[in-house]
Amino acid sequence: MPEAAAVLTASHPQGSASNATAVPLLHVRNLDVNYGESQVLRAVQLELQPGTITALMGRNGVGKTTLLKAIMGLLPARRGEVAFLGKSLNKLPPEKRARAGIAYVPQGREIFAKLTIEENLLLGLEARPDRLKKIPEEEAYGIFPFLKDMRKRLGGNLSGGQQQQLAIARALLGKPKVLLLDEPTEGIQPSIIDDIERVLAGLKEKGDIAILLVEQYLEFARRLGDRYYIMDRGAMVQNGKTSELTEESVKKHLAF
Ligand SMILES: Nc1ncnc2c1ncn2[C@@H]1O[C@H](COP(=O)(O)OP(=O)(O)O)[C@@H](O)[C@H]1O
Ligand SMILES: [Mg+2]
């Protein structure tokens, strides 16, 4: 087992799946993040529990992507902490966070256009604890079977929706405990959105992964999300059960 994962799981051999009220899988505490002189996140708090989908909402430019990057270690914390199973990740670089069990599907997918589907998926194996070098076919292609038929095609030749599906499949091949998804429905056709929804609902059902879903498509977030957080100008302004999200909150913080 990689060093970081060993440290992180040693004191919590059962994880927290059996005791969701104990230590959250992921805990962001008082997080400040800057771009140069400008402060973009302000004392952000967030908790993710296994077996749940948490919807992170807010208008453009409020800091949602910045928060995901900071959780992944792509941006440093200026103050505060990102903790995984109760241990601070602050000093770990992105690749160690990935090995520890955090996967990130960036906004706009960022798959490798010049690599084939298969080669893109192979890269997803790098985060795995078991260091597998060969694609486990059932696992890789089970969720989106079209990927198998098209596995020799270049990533760049896929539609936007297919690229999103590839990016999700690649992230899942790392066997993450925390999955960060940045606007997976953005600019994607409805049939593929339904397919992605089915996969995310299935992952939630399995009970061991915590999903953080940044989403502007309100109904999608409402259908999938157990809890929601709303950001405004770099701060969390509201959170609760998605079933209790009011029209008033939507108008105030989300409507354009
Ligand atoms: N690379 C960057 N350099 C400087 N400022 C940035 C950079 N990326 C984003 N920002 C600024 O940080 C703020 C939050 O951006 P972002 O996290 O992308 O918002 P969201 O994902 O909610 O739309 C915005 O004001 C944006 O202009
Ligand atoms: Mg964004």
Side-chain angles (χ1 to χ4, degrees), residues 24-83:
L25 206 45
L26 192 96
H27 198 165
V28 176
R29 286 194 201 91
N30 277 319
L31 184 70
D32 288 356
V33 172
N34 277 39
Y35 282 115
E37 289 299 296
S38 89
Q39 186 174 356
V40 176
L41 298 186
R42 299 161 201 280
V44 165
Q45 310 271 3
L46 174 80
E47 285 186 27
L48 303 181
Q49 299 291 350
T52 66
I53 296 182
T54 302
L56 174 59
M57 299 188 281
R59 293 188 178 95
N60 274 332
V62 297
K64 304 179 300 294
T65 296
T66 301
L67 175 57
L68 264 51
K69 287 183 174 169
I71 292 172
M72 202 60 220
L74 297 164
L75 291 169
R78 185 161 221 204
R79 187 176 68 104
E81 179 179 74
V82 177

Side-chain angles (χ1 to χ4, degrees), residues 131-209:
R131 306 258 168 150
L132 207 63
K133 296 285 178 238
K134 194 168 164 286
I135 292 175
E137 299 229 336
E138 189 58 28
E139 207 185 311
Y141 300 118
I143 51 168
F144 300 121
F146 82 93
L147 291 172
K148 186 170 184 181
D149 304 328
M150 293 172 68
R151 64 188 183 278
K152 302 292 181 200
R153 290 267 280 275
L154 294 183
N157 291 342
L158 305 180
S159 73
Q162 290 171 331
Q163 289 183 13
Q164 186 64 255
Q165 290 169 296
L166 172 58
I168 291 171
R170 184 177 65 187
L172 291 174
L173 273 182
K175 290 208 165 287
K177 288 286 173 225
V178 173
L179 178 62
L180 310 171
L181 295 167
D182 202 348
E183 304 210 23
T185 69
E186 194 183 21
I188 285 178
Q189 70 200 68
S191 65
I192 294 188
I193 292 179
D194 291 348
D195 220 20
I196 291 173
E197 181 170 342
R198 173 185 57 76
V199 165
L200 298 184
L203 285 174
K204 171 160 105 175
E205 193 122 306
K206 278 170 65 187
D208 53 348
I209 299 185

